[in-house]
Amino acid sequence: MTPVAAAVLLGVLGLLVGSFLNVCIYRLPRDLSVAFPASHCPSCQRPLRWYHNVPVVSWIALGGRCGFCRERIHWRYPLVELLNAGLWAAHGLLFPWEPLLFVRLAFASALLVLFFTDLDCRILPNEVTVGGTVAGLIASALVFPPGFQSALIGVLLGGGVLWATGEAYERLRGVEGMGMGDVKMLAMIGAVLGWPLMLLTLVGSSIAGGLIGAILLAFKADARTTALPFGAFLAPAALAASLVGQPVLDWYLGFYR
């Protein structure tokens, strides 16, 4: 299969999976089952018909409203579907058609869920972070890159660095500086990408978080007490590391060879 054909196919599949991701984003932080009940309107609770549930198309056709009660449906629903389709298509262009591709597709979708749950609810569900860590270690043990040793170091180093940073901040400032959800999320990233790309993710997310924090300080008097959802910075940094991180690392390390 050519990269373009793979991108088109994965983009369509990504749209369909994106619809399920919306269910996860809404239900997991609320401790609700992602399987039961079937998709329904959160306002009137009526089960959706199949033609209400076609990714993106249904939202446009219904004018962004429920087909029963006409309550508004958030624009984030088609956005998540389109983002997941775009991410899957990008993987189809950049990765060969081999088992590692499917590991990275699942990883990209998991990061998308974590990005929005952290942004909306300041929650990084254990079902995704802990489950993703275990799945990443299993995949690495099956001789997928980055290999089990690198993945295990990534888990221990990733989780350990954030835990130590948060512990030190709390002792110095007397307030919690890093939630355990962030620690588990970086451990998951280390399990899937290995420790070098995990460190690249941490550097990238810290720079982005620092820039946003500086902007908030410039425009908000109470920015020092504003908690930033660090998972929302880790997710795009990890996606970038998954897609193009290895060439970036190779280019950087080339200066020392």
Side-chain angles (χ1 to χ4, degrees):
M1 185 178 296
T2 66
V4 173
V8 172
L9 174 60
L10 289 175
V12 174
L13 292 175
L15 273 178
L16 300 176
V17 173
S19 182
F20 174 69
L21 298 186
N22 277 316
V23 175
C24 295
I25 290 167
Y26 180 81
R27 297 190 187 187
L28 287 179
R30 295 168 175 82
D31 290 326
L32 301 174
S33 169
V34 298
F36 302 101
S39 295
H40 58 277
C41 172
S43 298
C44 66
Q45 302 299 313
R46 293 187 64 176
L48 301 182
R49 293 172 180 159
W50 71 266
Y51 50 83
H52 293 156
N53 230 1
V54 181
V56 181
V57 175
S58 292
W59 188 86
I60 295 173
L62 292 168
R65 293 180 181 275
C66 171
F68 299 112
C69 67
R70 305 306 295 164
E71 190 68 26
R72 286 195 177 277
I73 303 170
H74 202 285
W75 53 264
R76 192 191 64 203
Y77 284 84
L79 175 64
V80 168
E81 292 162 355
L82 288 171
L83 284 173
N84 198 62
L87 287 171
W88 279 39
H91 280 75
L93 289 172
L94 295 173
F95 284 83
W97 198 262
E98 58 186 29
L100 178 62
L101 168 64
F102 301 99
V103 174
R104 294 297 176 89
L105 291 176
F107 180 60
S109 293
L111 290 172
L112 197 57
V113 170
L114 293 173
F115 176 85
F116 282 103
T117 58
D118 201 26
L119 208 59
D120 287 352
C121 308
R122 301 296 194 270
I123 292 175
L124 296 166
N126 286 331
E127 293 89 341
V128 182
T129 56
V130 177
T133 301
V134 173
L137 287 172
I138 291 173
S140 299
L142 295 174
V143 201
F144 292 149
F148 186 72
Q149 183 178 12
S150 181
L152 184 59
I153 294 172
V155 170
L156 298 175
L157 187 60
V161 165
L162 278 196
W163 177 83
T165 302
E167 187 72 13
Y169 186 90
E170 186 171 355
R171 290 179 182 276
L172 289 171
R173 300 292 299 274
V175 294
E176 185 179 61
M178 192 70 64
M180 283 303 296
D182 299 316
V183 172
K184 296 170 190 174
M185 182 175 176
L186 193 58
M188 180 194 80
I189 293 167
V192 176
L193 299 183
W195 70 266
L197 291 181
M198 179 278 297
L199 289 178
L200 185 63
T201 297
L202 183 58
V203 170
S205 57
S206 299
I207 291 172
L211 288 173
I212 296 299
I215 293 170
L216 288 175
L217 280 173
F219 292 97
K220 288 183 65 177
D222 60 344
R224 291 183 183 277
T225 59
T226 301
L228 294 177
F230 192 52
F233 294 101
L234 282 173
L239 280 170
S242 176
L243 288 167
V244 298
Q246 194 58 53
V248 170
L249 272 182
D250 292 341
W251 167 80
Y252 178 75
L253 294 175
F255 290 107
Y256 299 94
R257 295 192 181 112

